[in-house]
Structures are given as C-alpha cells and as structure tokens.
Amino acid sequence: MMSGKYTSIDNQKVSGSVASVPDPGHLTVNFADSTLQTFPPPEAQGKISGVSRPPRDADDTFSKPVSGSDEPQQSGWFRTFTVAAYKPYFDVDTSDVLERIKDSLFPFRGTFNEKTASNPDLYGPFWICTTLIFVAASIGTFVTYVAHKLKKKEWEYDINLVTWSAGLFYGFVTIVPLGLYVILKYFSAPSGLVQLFCLYGYSLFVFIPALCLSVVPVEIFRWVVAGVAGLMSATFVALNLRAHIKSAGERWFFIVAVIFLLQLALSVVLKLYLFTVTV
C-alpha cells in the first residue's frame, strides 16, 4: 500500500514536470559572423599562396625546382656547387648504361654522341673509373705477388697502387676532357663539357678487360693488349667527335693526334707501372 502511494505520487510529479516543458518544435540557431577564415584561404594573402600544391619530399635538396615556386633558386656559378645541378646527370637506367658500354666496345660505329646528346650521364663514367681503380690495384698486386713467389722472393703489399690508380683514372677523366674542351673551343668547334666527360668516361671501359688479360705472364702479350686497348679507346673518342673535328678545318689533324696520343699514353703508363715487374 505504501509503495503504491509513493508510486502514484512520483508519477504525478514526473507527468507534471513533463507537461510544464513546452514543445520546442524546430529550433533555429543563429551565430554571429565569425572572423575565422576558411582553409585554405580563397585568395593569396601576404606570402601564403591560395594554390594547392602537392606534398614535397622530406629532403628538398633532391627535388627539382617547381616552376612558379616562391623558393629562392641559385643561379650562375652558385648553382654549380649544389647537388641539384648534378642530379640530372645521374638519372639514368641500368639498361642505358649497359647500352653505352656496349657502344664503347664497338668504337667504329661512331653513334655514341648521337645517342647521348640529349641525356649525357656521369653515373657510368664515375663507376667505370672506380671499378678501374680497384681492378688495376688488385690485378697489379696479384701480378707482383705471383712474380715474387715464382722467384721465391719475399713480397710486400704496396698500398700506393690504390692511391696511384685513383689519381690516374680520376685525373685522366677530368683533366683530359677539360683540355679537349678548351682546344675545340679555340678551333671554333665547341662541344659540351658534360658530353666530353661522358664520352671519355665510357672510353675507359675497354681497359677493364685489358687489365684482366694482363694477368697472363707474357711480356709481348701484355704490350699487345695495352696497344689494342689504347687504339680502341682513341678510335671511340675520335669517331664520336668527327663532326667537331671536321668543323675545325685543316687543323683537324692536330686534334686527332692529341686524342690518340693521350689514350695511347694511358695504355703505356698502365703497362709500365702495373705490369712491368722487377724482382
């Protein structure tokens, strides 16, 4: 009885409280005009551009400059000391490098410059020179080791072979194209400097198998290998520069002589220093 009484009282209170609240119906909430701006802003304000841009790489150093970008870009000689200036010359596929190496082994085609005119690379020349350094040092060391063992003499490793090889190949592929660039420019038959670096870098590939064949302990055979490698390398460079050489007029013979003498000189130096063993 008591519970029923309290229940009826509670129901009356609840019904009374519900009845006292009017039906709101559809509420309309009006906010004052906000001073907040939408994002991204519809118009450029200050240095903020309203144009939506794609996300950038984590390292902008290796990104190509976007046209219309607000970023300051280096120009003139300052650009030479940036990574971005050299990035296009290392953007090459393995198939392209192998194709260019194959062209260097068939020097009489003379089509290398035509194929690489639009995209000369420095990737191939760099790794060819680096490979030559370790091949020359290792094979030269092996040849001297075998010669000493055959004579039953004590042998010591010469660390200077590595440093000497690095100076020779890196110096050759840098200084010689620079010198030829100046000569061609003087004779009014200019060629691109990067194109010359690319051409001379690939012209040295033939010396890798030549160095491997020089392991054979026959002196006359080593001289023949060095001579053939030098002639192939010089022919490869000369035939691919024939258009520039012809435009030099009667002085073409001087340019050809310089090309052949430098390549043959490299062969002779390799033969005398690496494969002439005195025990």
Side-chain angles (χ1 to χ4, degrees), residues 136-155:
S138 59
I139 292 182
T141 300
F142 177 75
V143 169
T144 56
Y145 173 79
V146 172
H148 281 76
K149 289 301 179 182
L150 290 177
K151 297 289 185 179
K152 296 181 179 180
K153 298 285 185 70
E154 185 178 355
W155 173 81

Side-chain angles (χ1 to χ4, degrees), residues 41-113:
E43 296 180 358
Q45 298 187 8
K47 293 185 179 180
I48 302 178
S49 175
V51 181
S52 179
R53 295 179 182 175
R56 297 189 179 184
D57 297 336
D59 187 0
D60 283 340
T61 306
F62 298 95
S63 300
K64 292 184 178 180
V66 181
S67 59
S69 174
D70 295 334
E71 296 179 357
Q73 299 180 14
Q74 299 291 346
S75 60
W77 283 101
F78 291 101
R79 181 171 170 77
T80 308
F81 301 100
T82 62
V83 176
Y86 300 96
K87 181 184 176 183
Y89 304 119
F90 289 85
D91 187 14
V92 63
D93 296 332
T94 304
S95 58
D96 295 330
V97 175
L98 294 177
E99 183 67 24
R100 295 173 183 187
I101 288 174
K102 186 168 66 175
D103 287 339
S104 70
L105 296 176
F106 297 93
F108 296 101
R109 293 178 178 177
T111 59
F112 183 86
N113 262 16

Side-chain angles (χ1 to χ4, degrees), residues 50-258:
V51 181
S52 179
R53 295 179 182 175
R56 297 189 179 184
D57 297 336
D59 187 0
D60 283 340
T61 306
F62 298 95
S63 300
K64 292 184 178 180
V66 181
S67 59
S69 174
D70 295 334
E71 296 179 357
Q73 299 180 14
Q74 299 291 346
S75 60
W77 283 101
F78 291 101
R79 181 171 170 77
T80 308
F81 301 100
T82 62
V83 176
Y86 300 96
K87 181 184 176 183
Y89 304 119
F90 289 85
D91 187 14
V92 63
D93 296 332
T94 304
S95 58
D96 295 330
V97 175
L98 294 177
E99 183 67 24
R100 295 173 183 187
I101 288 174
K102 186 168 66 175
D103 287 339
S104 70
L105 296 176
F106 297 93
F108 296 101
R109 293 178 178 177
T111 59
F112 183 86
N113 262 16
E114 298 176 3
K115 294 180 179 179
T116 61
S118 60
N119 60 337
D121 73 284
L122 299 178
Y123 179 85
F126 171 77
W127 284 110
I128 288 173
C129 290
T130 304
T131 304
L132 272 170
I133 292 168
F134 289 100
V135 169
S138 59
I139 292 182
T141 300
F142 177 75
V143 169
T144 56
Y145 173 79
V146 172
H148 281 76
K149 289 301 179 182
L150 290 177
K151 297 289 185 179
K152 296 181 179 180
K153 298 285 185 70
E154 185 178 355
W155 173 81
E156 293 182 359
Y157 175 69
D158 186 8
I159 189 61
N160 292 325
L161 283 177
V162 177
T163 56
W164 182 88
S165 299
L168 174 66
F169 291 114
Y170 283 145
F172 185 88
V173 83
T174 303
I175 297 174
V176 173
L178 278 173
L180 184 59
Y181 174 79
V182 174
I183 293 174
L184 291 175
K185 198 171 185 64
Y186 176 77
F187 286 147
S188 301
S191 176
L193 182 58
V194 177
Q195 184 71 29
L196 289 175
F197 284 139
C198 179
L199 179 65
Y200 264 89
Y202 282 99
S203 73
L204 297 182
F205 181 82
V206 69
F207 288 101
I208 296 178
L211 288 172
C212 295
L213 290 174
S214 297
V215 174
V216 178
V218 179
E219 195 68 12
I220 187 64
F221 178 78
R222 289 174 176 173
W223 277 111
V224 170
V225 169
V228 170
L231 286 173
M232 289 180 64
S233 181
T235 304
F236 174 72
V237 174
L239 288 181
N240 281 283
L241 291 176
R242 64 186 183 278
H244 301 280
I245 294 172
K246 289 179 180 178
S247 63
E250 298 178 354
R251 296 163 292 188
W252 67 268
F253 180 78
F254 174 75
I255 301 175
V256 174
V258 169

Side-chain angles (χ1 to χ4, degrees), residues 18-50:
V18 172
S20 64
V21 178
D23 185 10
H26 296 284
L27 297 178
T28 303
V29 180
N30 295 325
F31 291 95
D33 292 338
S34 176
T35 58
L36 296 177
Q37 297 179 354
T38 58
F39 185 84
E43 296 180 358
Q45 298 187 8
K47 293 185 179 180
I48 302 178
S49 175

